[in-house]
Amino acid sequence: MSAISYMRRALELAELGRGKVSPNPVVGCVIVKEDKIIGEGYHQKYGEAHAEVNAVNSVEDQTDIVGSTVYVTLEPCAHFGKTPPCANLLVDKKVGKVVIAAFDSNPLVGGKGIQILEEAGIEVETGLLQEEARWQNRRFFTQIEKKRPYVILKWAQTQDGFVARSDYSSKWISNSSSRRLVHQWRAEEDAIMVGKNTAKYDDPALNVRDWVGKNPLRLVIDSKLELSQSLKLFDQAVPTICYNTQKTEESGNLEFVKLKPGFSLDQILEDLHNRNIQSLLVEGGSFLLNKFIELGLWDEARIFTSRNKFGEGIKAPLIPKPSSENIPVLEDHLSIHYHV
C-alpha cells in the first residue's frame, strides 16, 4: 500500500465519528510498521479518547509502535482538554514518523502539535490529502476560521417550484426515502432551525425518528413570541432555543434568548458560535431560507425536487450556485449546491 492509501484509510475511519464528536473534528489514525497496518482508530465520542489513542491501544504488541509511521488526518493535539495531548503520546511511544493531512487552525493547537513531535526528533510530513481532510472537517474549520457554524440549507420543492400551498400546507412533497435521509442529516448536525411560519403551520418535532442518532439542538425564531406553547417545539423533549425580542428565560430544556429589535441572522450565528455549535441545518420556511441566501450566510444547500405539482403557492428559494451533485432518491431528485 502507498502512503496515500494509508491516509485514505485514515479518512475512512474518521468519517465513522460523524455526528458523535462535535465540537471536536472527526479524526482518523493508522499506524504502519514495515508496510503493514498494525493499528488503527478514530475519535468515537466527544470527551473520550482521540483517534491516536484508540489507534495506539489497538496495537497488539506495543513494542511494535517504536519506529512506526503514524498517518493522521489532523494535526495531533498539543493541549490538555477533555483528554491529554496526543502529540505527547506519540513521543512517549517513540514513533518514527508522523504523516499529517491537515494543519489544525485551532489556536490551541496551531502548529504546537507538530512542534512537540519535531523537538522530540520525530520526522513530520504534512499536507498529504490536505484538501480532502479539510473538506471532511469543513464544519470544524468553518467554526474556527469564520467564527460561525457551517450552515446547511434544506428544503423540498414541487416540480413547478413551490415549497407549500398558499395556505402554507406542504405535507408531504418528498417521498419517504427522502424524509429518512433528512433524519440521517439531523443526526449528523449540531442544531436545526425553522422560522415562525414553519413552526406554526407544520408543527414539526425537528427530532431524529427514522434514523439512529442524537437529536440536534432545536432553534426557532419567533420575534414577538406569538407561537402557541402547545407546539411540539416547546414540549421540552429536546433542548430548544427560541430567539425573540421580548425576554430571556430558561425553563428545563427550553430557553428563550432575547435579541435586540431588528436583529440580524449574524447575531444568532454569533450566539451559536459562542455555544460551540459547529453546524446548523436550516429546514425552512421560504422567508428564512431566502434571508440566509440573501446575506450569503450559507455553505451548502440540499434541495429535494419531487414530481408533484401545486400550480400555485409559496415559491421555493432560488439558489445562486449551480448544483455540484445530483442524486436520484427513488422518484425524487436531490441536488446539492456548495457556496464556494
Side-chain angles (χ1 to χ4, degrees):
M1 291 177 68
S2 66
I4 288 178
S5 298
Y6 292 131
M7 190 61 81
R8 289 206 187 282
R9 175 56 182 161
L11 289 167
E12 288 177 1
L13 290 166
E15 198 59 35
L16 298 175
R18 178 74 60 206
K20 306 178 184 72
V21 301
S22 180
N24 285 349
V26 295
V27 181
C29 180
V30 170
I31 304 175
V32 177
K33 185 75 172 286
E34 297 175 353
D35 295 323
K36 179 184 176 182
I37 294 177
I38 61 171
E40 57 182 30
Y42 66 97
H43 187 20
Q44 299 179 13
K45 185 177 180 182
Y46 176 69
E48 296 185 0
H50 288 185
E52 297 92 331
V53 176
N54 288 328
V56 164
N57 290 341
S58 75
V59 179
E60 188 172 340
D61 185 348
Q62 291 286 297
T63 62
D64 286 343
I65 302 175
V66 177
S68 65
T69 299
V70 176
Y71 293 84
V72 63
T73 58
L74 192 69
E75 178 183 358
C77 64
H79 64 287
F80 284 88
K82 295 282 186 181
T83 59
C86 292
N88 294 69
L89 172 67
L90 298 180
V91 170
D92 293 341
K93 292 295 180 179
K94 296 181 171 60
V95 305
K97 181 178 180 179
V98 178
V99 182
I100 299 166
F103 177 85
D104 191 338
S105 55
N106 184 339
L108 290 173
V109 182
K112 296 174 185 174
I114 293 173
Q115 182 181 355
I116 288 172
L117 296 171
E118 290 181 333
E119 288 180 350
I122 296 171
E123 182 184 352
V124 177
E125 178 185 329
T126 61
L128 183 64
L129 299 186
Q130 176 177 272
E131 187 174 334
E132 290 92 331
R134 280 188 60 87
W135 181 251
Q136 182 180 61
N137 268 314
R138 58 194 183 276
R139 293 159 179 80
F140 171 75
F141 286 114
T142 296
Q143 183 194 39
I144 294 293
E145 297 167 7
K146 295 186 178 181
K147 305 292 190 251
R148 65 164 176 80
Y150 184 86
V151 177
I152 302 169
L153 309 180
K154 169 265 161 184
W155 69 87
Q157 63 187 27
T158 60
Q159 193 174 41
D160 52 354
F162 298 100
V163 294
R165 299 184 186 276
S166 299
D167 62 358
Y168 290 95
S169 63
S170 63
K171 297 182 180 180
W172 293 100
I173 291 177
S174 57
N175 64 45
S176 59
S177 293
S178 296
R179 297 196 294 274
R180 188 176 303 114
L181 186 55
V182 171
H183 282 264
Q184 177 186 342
W185 295 343
R186 289 178 179 179
E188 293 173 346
E189 310 306 338
D190 287 355
I192 183 170
M193 174 187 281
V194 293
K196 185 181 75 173
N197 282 339
T198 298
K200 178 179 179 180
Y201 292 104
D202 289 356
D203 192 15
L206 299 185
N207 56 13
V208 177
R209 299 184 299 280
D210 297 333
W211 197 260
V212 176
K214 65 173 181 59
N215 291 311
L217 172 68
R218 301 186 300 194
L219 312 171
V220 62
I221 301 175
D222 181 17
S223 182
K224 298 180 181 179
L225 295 182
E226 297 170 316
L227 290 172
S228 169
Q229 293 298 292
S230 66
L231 294 173
K232 295 186 184 75
L233 279 175
F234 300 120
D235 62 10
Q236 300 215 23
V238 177
T240 303
I241 296 175
C242 177
Y243 288 105
N244 68 93
T245 61
Q246 308 299 307
K247 67 177 181 179
T248 292
E249 184 178 291
E250 284 189 54
S251 176
N253 265 343
L254 179 59
E255 181 180 357
F256 292 89
V257 175
K258 182 178 180 180
L259 300 173
K260 296 177 182 178
F263 65 86
S264 67
L265 291 177
D266 292 279
Q267 289 177 260
I268 294 176
L269 294 181
E270 181 182 2
D271 180 67
L272 294 176
H273 172 72
N274 292 336
R275 295 171 185 265
N276 275 331
I277 298 300
Q278 200 176 89
S279 59
L280 170 64
L281 181 62
V282 183
E283 287 204 14
S286 185
F287 178 83
L288 182 60
L289 290 164
N290 274 315
K291 189 56 93 173
F292 273 96
I293 294 169
E294 174 190 326
L295 296 173
L297 292 174
W298 66 283
D299 300 287
E300 188 173 328
R302 303 172 182 177
I303 306 166
F304 291 102
T305 302
S306 74
R307 294 180 180 177
N308 298 329
K309 291 184 178 181
F310 282 176
E312 60 179 18
I314 310 299
K315 290 291 292 183
L318 294 176
I319 206 75
K321 294 283 185 177
S323 61
S324 298
E325 299 176 46
N326 293 280
I327 305 164
V329 185
L330 297 181
E331 67 274 15
D332 289 347
H333 172 82
L334 170 62
S335 63
I336 301 179
H337 308 246
Y338 297 107
H339 192 197
V340 292

